[in-house]
Amino acid sequence: MTARRLRASLKGWGGVGAMAVACALAAVFALLLPLSNARGDGSTGIGGQGVAEGTQVKEDTCTAPQDQSLSPSSDESGTTITAIKKRGYLSVGVDQNSYRWGYRDPNSTKKSSDLEGFDIDLAHEIAKEILGDPNAVRFHAIPTIQRVPAIKDGQVDMVVRTMTINCARLKDVAFSAPYFLTGQQVLAPKTSDITGYDKSLANKKICSASGSTANDKLKADQGSGKLVPSADISTTVPNQLDCLVRLQLGEVDAVVTDGALAASQAAQDPTVELKGDRFTTEYYGVAMKKDADDLVRRVNQVLVDYRKSGWRASYDKWLSPTLGADSESANPPAAKYK
Amino acid sequence: MTYPPKGSAAPPAPAGAPTMPGVPPQAGPAAPRGGPATPGTAPARRTAWAEGVDQLRATATTEPGRLRIIGAVLALLVVAFGAVTAWQMTERSAAADDVLHSSQPLSASAADIYRSLADANTAASSGFLAGGQETKSSRDRYELDIKTAAGKLITAANSSEPGSPSADTISKLNKLLPEYKGLIERARANNRQGFPLGGAYLRYANEKMQQQMLPAAEDLYKRENQRLSADYADAKPYPWAAIGLGVLALGGLVWAQRRNYRRTNRVLNQGMVAATAASTVVLLWLVVGHSVARAGLDESYDHGVRSLNVLHDARIASLNARGNENLTLVSRGAETKTLADGTTTVDAFDYDFQQDMKTLTKDLALAADLADDKAGEEPVQAATGNMKVWKSRHKEARAADDAGDYQGALNKVIGSKSDKPTGECFDGVDKNLALALTHEESEFKQAAGGGRDAMTGLPVGAAVLAVLAAAGALLGIGRRLSEYR
């Protein structure tokens, strides 16, 4: 009896405590978000987690994470590249479920059931440049949450998997120069009255992948009042694609995810479209082991050449149909090095 | 209409008066009974009972009177013995019949619902993995499973009481089944277009199956098993009331014959002997018949029902394991799970596969222990063998997938015979478990049927023999009585 009463009263305090924490967080967000916006840095949106952890400290050491990569070099004498050359193939972590980025056509009659997409093209390009054979590459399908551990454990040489360059990840892995510009975007049925990331989301149910940048951003924005409070962001799913399932079944009204992935969703359902502009700025990069400087420089050199020829052809093939030929993302982002 | 009160009111006064002195020791209790009643109400309260007691006392004073009473009591005891035996054994035999013809088939039917749902889920994921090359047999298997589940749900609904928890579960399953099928069809349609969205639909369908439908089906299965246990509990207890009355009746008969012998020096009274013989037969039949029935039911439970339950569980574990093995390849790492240690992250479906395999291993070991003959052991051993190969082939498939050889992994799971796929092993496990189930089912039917048959005729036989015994007792007494005329 007493134990139960005690537990009940504790439960009450738990709720109060949680609310106090939520209030404190909201206050922190309210204070910090305008601050980071004032700096005019486009990459703030990515730092959902970073903001919560105390952006002030990080602001000094980590601004524009996409510009932190090492300068390109064609030198192949480093230990990492030597090991790869000795092995004879490149080991790349990719996605198998992102249509137009990295996916496997289930109806492929080819015996090999190859992966294909924008990320896969890039992986082949890197293999071709380093090893002289675009097919000297072994793909490992790794889940989103395993991207960083897979690199740290040495399970793969690199991850080419719609991976956003951000400060938190820079602590664990090294990134190449950015190879794609994107940002969080709203996806909704064409007939929907949602116009973008704005007031039209009032009373709408929004789906996002749990643990994703989108989910962090939604929570932060609802806390800070940037997102209408009546928007229901409680629906989270294991994978961003699951959001399209919920959208098609009418369980949610809109999806928030990377514009690039939202486009990949739109490519699978002609009745939905991207609504409004992207409301964050993010860059995709190739992630590698933190101390593999030779490989990072070599990949950056590959990207330099790829930007000149190959990049646009790949974009036109995989992404143009849904992102458009004149989108902001239609050209490779300019590379700046540390 | 005025007769009875008159009739009962008139005799009390004269009849009551002589009895009191007639049986002095019993007058004590009789007097106080009459005593508290006020004189005015006394005649009114002289009930038929009191009057009967008085008459009995009057009768007991003479030997023919005593004989009459003894005859009546004996006949009553024997008839009561027969009646209680017939009643108790009718109940037990009905419960045994329910075990055989109602609750066990319903429990098996619920297990079938459970199995066909799990099987449908597995077949759907296999077909999905094959993509555009889905075979007719895998499509047929899925459709058959859905049909079986839908059909058995109707059977289950018909035998459940409206408003009962079982009925709720059944209606819930009836609602979920079309939802599930809709998701599967969407998954197929998207898969055929080459969209990874199909895989997302399949995972959603699987979630519905694993988190809502299979638990509901399991719940139904457990309820039906409870009903089965209750029927067993109704059929098995010894009919102590009948046995007690039988002993009492036999004792009475023996006592009456001994009394008869003492008074007349006649050893045999044919009627009473016949009555004793008939009662003995009923009592022996009752005890032996019920013991045999009980043994049969016990055997049907120990070697039938328990084996069946374990085998059903094993089969469902193997189905779920197969489904999760397929889904590991469908989801391609889309869903992960962090283990209890908080650091290790594993593929959600491969983790579930490992859990299912553990259950399967445990259930197969248990089933091997429970199997009591060669015909029962063989398929279980074969299934265990298949499972071992399955485990080692699964490791190869995972190694291939982890090394980036997706097609190799796919071949190792759903490939053709030359690829030595795990599908072969699963089919082996499933086939052998089906064999074992058929065998245990027939064992159950034999044992439970034998148990029930041991009770056959007992209620009727007991009733007829008891009537004969009562007649014998009355005739026997009547013969003695006639000597006083």
Side-chain angles (χ1 to χ4, degrees), chain A residues 18 22 78 89 93 117 139 155 205 207 214 239 254 262 267 278 307 320 332:
Chain A
Y89 63 88
F139 292 115
Q155 197 189 333
K205 282 188 190 153
C207 177
N239 188 287
R278 61 184 169 82
R307 280 189 199 97
S320 197

Side-chain angles (χ1 to χ4, degrees), chain A residues 22-82:
Chain A
C23 287
L25 275 181
V28 169
F29 286 137
L31 283 172
L32 291 183
L33 278 171
L35 188 74
S36 46
N37 276 346
R39 301 213 175 172
D41 170 20
S43 70
T44 45
I46 317 149
Q49 289 163 321
V51 169
E53 287 163 15
T55 318
Q56 296 247 294
V57 182
K58 219 171 283 162
E59 289 282 311
D60 302 333
T61 53
C62 179
T63 43
Q66 72 278 8
D67 296 338
Q68 304 290 319
S69 196
L70 302 168
S71 58
S73 154
S74 297
D75 180 30
E76 296 187 343
S77 60
T79 50
T80 321
I81 297 181
T82 311

Side-chain angles (χ1 to χ4, degrees), chain A residues 96-97 99 103-104 106-107 111 113 138-140 143 145-146 238-239 241-242 244-246 248-249 251 268, chain B residues 132-133 183 186 191-192 194-197 200-201 203-204 331-336 345 402-404 406-407:
Chain A
Q96 298 193 86
N97 290 322
Y99 196 49
Y103 86 108
R104 194 184 302 278
N107 304 320
K111 198 73 190 124
S113 68
R138 270 197 199 170
F139 292 115
H140 295 259
I145 202 163
Q146 285 293 297
N239 188 287
L241 195 53
D242 297 331
L244 184 56
V245 169
R246 308 298 194 272
Q248 287 190 347
L249 292 171
E251 291 172 19
Q268 298 176 62
Chain B
Q133 294 100 52
L183 290 175
R186 277 174 182 244
N191 197 39
R192 291 218 154 201
F195 295 155
L197 184 62
Y201 266 111
R203 279 187 289 115
Y204 194 41
S331 81
R332 303 160 189 168
E335 270 186 59
T336 53
T345 307
D402 289 342
Y406 181 81
Q407 188 61 42

Side-chain angles (χ1 to χ4, degrees), chain B residues 192-481:
Chain B
R192 291 218 154 201
Q193 295 190 68
F195 295 155
L197 184 62
Y201 266 111
L202 190 72
R203 279 187 289 115
Y204 194 41
N206 178 65
E207 190 188 307
K208 203 172 264 289
M209 179 60 83
Q210 299 290 346
Q211 288 178 11
Q212 297 183 44
M213 299 174 74
L214 289 183
E218 190 181 6
D219 187 47
L220 188 67
Y221 173 48
K222 282 192 175 145
R223 273 182 213 289
E224 298 296 357
N225 265 347
Q226 272 167 14
R227 177 139 67 160
L228 178 61
S229 300
D231 280 340
Y232 266 111
D234 285 346
K236 273 171 41 181
Y238 275 106
W240 289 118
I243 292 172
L245 270 172
V247 170
L248 212 62
L250 271 181
L253 282 167
V254 168
W255 172 81
Q257 283 171 88
R258 197 178 126 83
R259 182 177 181 277
N260 199 24
Y261 167 71
R262 281 201 166 164
R263 304 217 168 185
T264 63
N265 268 337
R266 287 192 199 122
V267 180
L268 283 179
N269 176 309
Q270 285 160 349
M272 300 258 261
V273 167
T276 314
S279 297
T280 311
V281 167
V282 174
L283 189 61
L284 280 177
W285 188 1
L286 175 66
V287 173
V288 172
H290 190 267
S291 298
V292 170
R294 212 177 132 92
L297 287 171
D298 275 338
E299 196 194 320
S300 78
Y301 188 82
D302 290 341
H303 297 307
V305 173
R306 279 179 65 199
S307 290
L308 283 172
N309 284 350
V310 169
L311 287 169
H312 276 307
D313 288 348
R315 204 169 180 203
I316 282 156
S318 88
L319 283 165
N320 283 338
R322 178 64 178 164
N324 282 318
E325 184 174 45
N326 288 339
L327 278 160
T328 310
L329 288 179
V330 171
S331 81
R332 303 160 189 168
E335 270 186 59
T336 53
K337 183 184 174 78
T338 306
L339 297 185
D341 63 9
T343 50
T344 322
T345 307
V346 291
D347 186 278
F349 296 105
D350 197 45
Y351 176 80
D352 287 347
F353 170 84
Q354 303 295 350
Q355 298 305 310
D356 291 332
M357 275 311 209
K358 273 184 202 156
T359 313
L360 180 61
T361 312
K362 206 183 70 208
D363 286 345
L364 281 179
L366 197 57
D369 279 351
L370 286 174
D372 56 329
D373 59 357
K374 214 171 147 55
E377 273 163 21
E378 266 172 3
V380 174
Q381 271 161 6
T384 311
N386 289 325
M387 179 196 64
K388 283 182 181 149
V389 182
W390 185 358
K391 278 180 174 168
S392 74
R393 286 187 187 178
H394 177 82
K395 266 194 197 127
E396 290 172 36
R398 290 315 310 148
D401 198 20
D402 289 342
D405 180 10
Y406 181 81
Q407 188 61 42
L410 198 62
N411 290 343
K412 207 77 205 144
V413 172
I414 59 159
S416 54
K417 220 174 164 58
S418 58
D419 297 317
K420 296 193 172 162
T422 55
E424 239 176 30
C425 312
F426 160 73
D427 286 342
V429 171
D430 199 53
K431 196 186 77 203
N432 282 312
L433 284 179
L435 271 179
L437 276 166
T438 316
H439 171 74
E440 295 298 337
E441 181 101 24
S442 76
E443 286 238 303
F444 161 81
K445 278 199 178 127
Q446 222 176 353
R452 188 207 47 172
D453 291 347
M455 296 194 231
T456 315
L458 221 165
V460 177
V464 169
L465 281 174
V467 167
L468 287 178
L474 287 177
L475 279 175
I477 297 284
R479 237 183 101 80
R480 266 283 289 144
L481 214 52

Side-chain angles (χ1 to χ4, degrees), chain A residues 174-188:
Chain A
F175 277 99
S176 71
Y179 69 89
F180 197 83
L181 165 72
T182 185
Q184 299 299 317
Q185 223 165 341
V186 177
L187 181 85

